[in-house]
Amino acid sequence: MSTDCSVFLQRACILDLETNENGDVIALGAAFGDKTLLREAPFDINKVLVALGDFVGEASCLLGHNLLRHDLPVCRALAAEAKFLAKPAVDTLFLSPLAFPENPYHRLVK
């Protein structure tokens, strides 16, 4: 029997980007269902974002840590027309204080 959480996770595409000090994307990882998409620099970011758009496909939403303030703005700056950017996003950076109230701040908070 599936829990609500497992159903949610099966329908979400988990996404993470890593950038360097210049703001260049140096790694991208995504997981959806039983598939993964992993890329490490050097790569053509435009081709990787097209592949990510195809990969996200039928996902109901995007899920990741600091998606709203980092990953998605980076993607939007590089490929504003990418269809996956229109998907709803769930950012675990904002959920973390709810799950761990004794440690409400993440190291990304400056």
Side-chain angles (χ1 to χ4, degrees):
M1 172 178 258
S2 296
T3 65
D4 290 338
C5 184
S6 66
V7 171
F8 168 76
L9 289 174
Q10 289 172 1
R11 299 182 67 197
C13 179
I14 301 167
L15 174 63
D16 186 37
L17 271 82
E18 298 298 327
T19 57
N20 64 15
E21 62 279 352
N22 298 322
D24 301 319
V25 178
I26 58 171
L28 180 145
F32 180 48
D34 60 353
K35 305 178 297 182
T36 58
L37 174 72
L38 301 170
R39 299 291 186 271
E40 291 186 47
F43 52 70
D44 180 331
I45 188 59
N46 295 316
K47 289 181 181 179
V48 170
L49 291 176
V50 168
L52 178 61
D54 294 339
F55 181 83
V56 169
E58 297 301 315
S60 60
C61 67
L62 302 172
L63 172 66
H65 200 73
N66 206 19
L67 272 182
L68 296 175
R69 292 187 180 161
H70 181 261
D71 297 25
L72 295 180
V74 168
C75 290
R76 196 168 284 110
L78 294 167
E81 71 288 345
K83 291 180 183 177
F84 70 87
L85 293 170
K87 294 206 180 268
V90 177
D91 192 330
T92 60
L93 180 65
F94 298 105
L95 298 175
S96 184
L98 298 173
F100 305 101
E102 69 283 354
N103 186 19
Y105 300 104
H106 185 275
R107 70 179 182 90
L108 294 175
V109 177
K110 306 288 184 217

